[in-house]
C-alpha cells in the first residue's frame, strides 16, 4: 500500500510538472507575482548555470572548474585576470576531469550521446590541446588517478570481459597500459582506485559489490602483490581513504559501528583493526560525508551531513588544532588544499546556484572564484525551504523540507507536489533546484520527504 501511495504521488508530480512545462511553450506570456515580480518561463530557469571545482594547483595559482555555461559540461581554467578559459569542447560534454600533480596536464573522460562509455583523453591545461588515449567501442574507462611523478595514470576499465572493472596502469610516455589488479577468480566486480601513497609505491583499491558495500585492498606497485584490508559480513561501506606517509595508518570513513552511520576512523594496516575517532573535532551527532588531507598531510578536513545541510570542519594534523570553517551556510563540498593552506571549495544553497570559492582558514580570507549565470532572473525572488517533520503510522518522525510560494497566506489551499527521492537509500538535500523555484513562484507548494530507508 505504501509503495502504491508513493508511486501515485510521483505520477501526480510528473504530470503537474509536465502541465506547467507545456503551458509555458509557444507564445505563452511570462507570469507575474502579485507584487509584479517578473517570472520567466521554465526553459529560462533551466538555463541557470553552475560551477564546480575541477582542480587546484599546489602552488595555489591556478583554479580549474567544470560548468555547462557553453551548453554542455566542459572544463575551464581561470586566467590570471579571472576570466574562464575553456579547455574542452566535446559535443556531448565531459564525464570527468583529473588534474595532474604538476598541474600542466589533465585526463578527461568523455562519452558520446549519453552511452556512458567514457574514453580517456590527455589535455594540455594551458592551451586545451588534446590527445586521445583510448578508443574502444562499448568499453568504459573511469576514475583516473595520477602517480606522484605524473608519469602514469591508474584507472578502472571493463575491457577484459565487459563486465568486471579491473585496475590498469598506463605509461603516458608510451601510451602502453596493462592490468595490475583484479581477476575473474579471486577479486572481481567494480574496482576503483581509492588512494595512492606519498611516494607512489602503494595503491589502495576499493572493490564495490553494491553502492552500500565495499572492501579495501592494499597493492604493492613494485611486486603487484596485494593484501585485503577489510572483510565484513553484511553491508559495510568504507570511503575517503588516505594512506598516511608512514604506511602504517589508513584514515577513512566507515559505517561499521553500532548506529550504522559513517564516522571518522583509522585502520591499522598491520593488524587490520579499525578504531573510530571521536575526539570532538567533528560533532559525533552527525554523519561524516567526506574526509581529505592536504598533499603535505599538514591539514585535514571533513564534511558532515547536518539534517541535509553539509558543513565543513578543518584542523591541523600535527597539533590537532581546530581551524575556522568557511562562513557559508548551505551545501559545502570539495576542499582541496594548496601549499599555503588555502582551500578550493564548492558552495551552493537552496537559493544559490553552485559556485567555486577559496577559503584560507588561517587568515579567514574568503573569495568567490566563479559567478554562475542566473539567466536574467533576480535571485532575491528565490525561497528557501523549512525543515519540518511529521509522525508516521507507528510514531516514527519523518523529516521533510517544505517549500512554499513567496506570497503564500497561512491557511489558504494551494496545489501541492510531493517529491519522493529515488533509492530508497538516497536522501533529499536542500541544494539549488531550478524547477522547485519555478514551481513555487507559480503558486505551487512542494514537500520533499526523507521517508524510512533514506540515507
Amino acid at each position: 500500500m505504501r509503495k502504491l501511495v508513493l508511486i501515485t504521488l510521483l505520477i501526480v508530480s510528473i504530470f503537474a510538472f509536465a502541465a506547467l512545462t507545456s503551458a509555458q511553450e509557444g507564445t505563452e506570456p511570462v507570469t507575474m507575482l502579485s507584487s509584479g515580480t517578473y517570472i520567466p518561463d521554465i526553459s529560462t530557469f533551466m538555463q541557470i548555470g553552475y560551477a564546480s571545482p575541477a582542480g587546484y594547483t599546489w602552488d595555489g595559482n591556478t583554479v580549474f572548474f567544470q560548468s555547462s555555461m557553453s551548453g554542455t559540461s566542459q572544463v575551464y581554467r581561470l586566467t590570471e585576470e579571472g576570466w574562464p578559459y575553456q579547455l574542452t569542447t566535446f559535443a556531448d560534454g565531459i564525464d570527468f576531469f583529473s588534474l595532474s600533480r604538476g598541474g600542466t596536464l589533465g585526463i578527461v573522460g568523455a562519452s558520446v550521446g549519453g552511452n556512458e562509455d567514457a574514453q580517456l583523453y590527455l589535455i594540455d591545461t594551458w592551451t586545451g590541446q588534446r590527445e586521445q588515449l583510448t578508443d574502444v567501442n562499448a568499453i568504459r574507462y573511469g576514475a583516473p588517478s595520477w602517480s606522484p611523478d605524473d608519469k602514469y595514470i591508474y584507472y578502472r576499465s571493463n575491457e577484459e570481459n565487459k563486465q568486471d572493472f579491473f585496475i590498469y596502469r598506463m605509461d603516458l610516455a608510451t601510451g602502453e597500459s596493462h592490468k595490475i589488479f583484479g581477476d575473474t577468480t579471486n577479486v572481481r566486480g567494480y574496482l576503483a582506485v581509492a588512494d595512492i601513497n606519498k611516494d607512489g609505491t602503494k595503491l589502495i583499491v576499493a572493490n564495490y559489490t553494491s553502492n552500500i558495500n565495499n572492501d579495501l585492498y592494499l597493492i604493492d606497485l613494485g611486486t603487484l602483490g596485494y593484501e585485503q584490508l577489510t572483510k565484513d559480513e553484511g553491508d559495510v561501506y568504507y570511503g575517503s581513504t588516505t594512506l598516511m606517509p608512514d604506511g602504517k595508518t589508513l584514515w577513512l570513513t566507515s559505517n561499521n559501528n553500532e548506529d550504522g552511520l559513517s564516522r571518522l576512523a583509522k585502520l591499522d594496516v598491520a593488524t587490520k583493526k579499525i578504531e573510530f575517532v571521536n575526539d570532538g573535532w567533528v560533532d559525533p551527532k552527525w554523519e561524516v560525508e567526506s574526509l581529505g588531507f592536504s598533499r603535505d598531510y599538514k591539514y585535514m578536513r571533513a564534511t558532515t551531513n547536518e539534517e541535509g545541510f553539509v558543513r565543513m570542519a578543518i584542523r591541523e594534523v600535527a597539533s590537532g588544532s581546530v581551524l575556522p570553517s568557511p562562513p557559508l551556510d548551505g551545501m559545502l563540498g570539495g576542499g582541496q588544499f594548496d601549499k599555503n593552506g588555502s582551500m578550493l571549495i564548492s558552495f551552493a544553497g537552496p537559493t544559490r546556484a553552485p559556485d567555486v570559492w577559496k577559503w584560507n582558514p588561517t587568515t579567514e580570507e574568503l573569495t568567490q572564484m566563479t559567478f554562475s549565470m542566473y539567466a536574467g532572473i533576480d535571485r532575491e525572488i528565490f525561497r528557501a525551504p523549512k525543515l519540518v517533520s511529521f509522525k508516521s503510522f507507528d510514531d516514527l518522525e519523518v523529516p521533510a523540507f517544505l517549500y512554499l510560494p513567496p506570497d503564500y497566506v497561512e491557511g489558504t489551499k494551494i496545489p501541492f507536489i510531493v517529491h519522493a527521492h529515488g533509492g530508497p537509500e538516497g536522501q533529499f538535500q536542500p541544494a539549488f533546484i531550478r524547477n522547485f523555484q519555478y514551481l513555487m513562484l507559480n503558486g505551487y507548494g512542494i514537500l520533499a520527504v526523507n521517508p524510512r530507508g533514506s540515507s
Side-chain angles (χ1 to χ4, degrees):
M1 180 62 184
R2 176 175 169 269
K3 184 182 292 186
L4 178 60
V5 171
L6 283 176
I7 292 172
T8 302
L9 290 170
L10 283 170
I11 292 172
V12 170
S13 300
I14 292 168
F15 275 102
F17 187 68
L20 281 169
T21 304
S22 177
Q24 293 299 326
E25 294 176 351
T27 59
E28 184 73 18
V30 295
T31 57
M32 296 281 185
L33 281 175
S34 58
S35 59
T37 304
Y38 163 71
I39 308 173
D41 60 23
I42 184 62
S43 63
T44 304
F45 270 77
M46 299 311 289
Q47 292 181 55
I48 295 174
Y50 77 90
S52 60
Y56 190 33
T57 54
W58 180 235
D59 59 14
N61 293 332
T62 312
V63 170
F64 300 85
F65 68 95
Q66 197 166 328
S67 174
S68 61
M69 68 174 71
S70 67
T72 55
S73 183
Q74 306 289 350
V75 173
Y76 297 80
R77 170 176 53 82
L78 280 181
T79 65
E80 292 181 359
E81 298 77 22
W83 187 259
Y85 180 92
Q86 187 169 341
L87 289 169
T88 61
T89 56
F90 291 91
D92 296 304
I94 70 166
D95 297 313
F96 51 80
F97 173 77
S98 177
L99 183 66
S100 67
R101 303 271 287 190
T104 60
L105 298 170
I107 298 294
V108 168
S111 54
V112 178
N115 64 12
E116 297 186 354
D117 293 329
Q119 302 298 311
L120 301 179
Y121 298 80
L122 180 67
I123 71 166
D124 182 308
T125 58
W126 183 256
T127 65
Q129 181 181 349
R130 75 189 189 208
E131 173 188 347
Q132 188 162 2
L133 299 177
T134 65
D135 187 12
V136 185
N137 186 43
I139 296 299
R140 187 174 301 180
Y141 301 87
S145 297
W146 291 80
S147 63
D149 58 10
D150 286 347
K151 292 181 178 180
Y152 305 96
I153 58 169
Y154 300 89
Y155 61 92
R156 65 171 179 253
S157 172
N158 63 346
E159 60 190 78
E160 182 165 311
N161 59 13
K162 295 186 179 182
Q163 178 178 337
D164 297 294
F165 283 84
F166 298 139
I167 303 300
Y168 294 78
R169 175 169 56 194
M170 179 183 291
D171 185 326
L172 292 175
T174 64
E176 296 180 356
S177 64
H178 62 276
K179 185 178 72 173
I180 63 169
F181 184 61
D183 58 70
T184 57
T185 303
N186 297 315
V187 183
R188 60 183 302 177
Y190 190 88
L191 278 63
V193 175
D195 189 42
I196 300 175
N197 73 332
K198 185 178 182 179
D199 60 10
T201 60
K202 306 287 185 182
L203 206 66
I204 302 295
V205 171
N207 184 15
Y208 297 84
T209 56
S210 75
N211 59 351
I212 56 173
N213 185 67
N214 65 2
D215 275 305
L216 301 177
Y217 293 80
L218 176 66
I219 293 87
D220 185 311
L221 292 174
T223 65
L224 297 187
Y226 69 89
E227 57 180 315
Q228 188 168 352
L229 298 178
T230 64
K231 189 175 183 180
D232 309 285
E233 295 182 1
D235 292 328
V236 175
Y237 188 86
Y238 302 95
S240 300
T241 56
T242 298
L243 184 62
M244 300 305 286
D246 62 7
K248 299 178 181 179
T249 304
L250 185 71
W251 275 89
L252 44 73
T253 60
S254 174
N255 65 348
N256 191 15
N257 48 53
E258 290 183 358
D259 59 13
L261 297 179
S262 181
R263 307 291 191 198
L264 293 180
K266 293 189 292 186
L267 183 148
D268 186 301
V269 173
T271 65
K272 312 299 188 292
K273 291 184 178 180
I274 292 179
E275 172 193 359
F276 283 89
V277 178
N278 183 12
D279 55 7
W281 171 52
V282 175
D283 190 340
K285 178 180 179 181
W286 308 114
E287 190 164 23
V288 178
E289 289 202 335
S290 70
L291 171 69
F293 287 77
S294 59
R295 188 184 296 187
D296 56 8
Y297 303 91
K298 183 178 180 180
Y299 302 102
M300 61 190 302
R301 55 89 186 154
T303 57
T304 52
N305 184 329
E306 302 183 14
E307 295 184 316
F309 291 92
V310 181
R311 320 292 188 199
M312 184 175 291
I314 309 163
R315 75 171 174 181
E316 291 181 339
V317 174
S319 66
S321 300
V322 177
L323 300 176
S325 300
L328 299 169
D329 189 31
M331 309 291 289
L332 288 168
Q336 186 176 354
F337 291 89
D338 65 23
K339 67 179 182 180
N340 304 309
S342 291
M343 307 170 64
L344 200 67
I345 61 177
S346 63
F347 170 61
T351 65
R352 181 184 286 275
D355 268 309
V356 180
W357 298 65
K358 184 185 290 188
W359 168 245
N360 188 311
T362 302
T363 64
E364 299 190 42
E365 181 180 1
L366 179 68
T367 308
Q368 185 172 350
M369 307 301 295
T370 65
F371 297 84
S372 290
M373 179 188 72
Y374 285 91
I377 305 171
D378 183 0
R379 194 172 65 82
E380 294 300 318
I381 68 175
F382 297 157
R383 291 295 179 268
K386 178 182 179 181
L387 180 62
V388 299
S389 66
F390 57 91
K391 286 189 177 182
S392 184
F393 65 93
D394 57 359
D395 289 333
L396 177 75
E397 288 288 332
V398 178
F401 286 92
L402 177 65
Y403 293 79
L404 292 171
D407 54 0
Y408 174 72
V409 177
E410 186 75 26
T412 58
K413 291 184 178 181
I414 58 172
F416 245 90
I417 293 173
V418 174
H419 175 86
H421 66 70
E425 80 288 347
Q427 179 190 11
F428 179 87
Q429 292 181 277
F432 181 72
I433 307 176
R434 298 159 180 80
N435 52 298
F436 275 28
Q437 295 297 334
Y438 175 80
L439 289 166
M440 283 190 292
L441 289 167
N442 280 276
Y444 281 73
I446 305 163
L447 189 69
V449 297
N450 278 308
R452 67 190 74 207
S454 299
S455 56

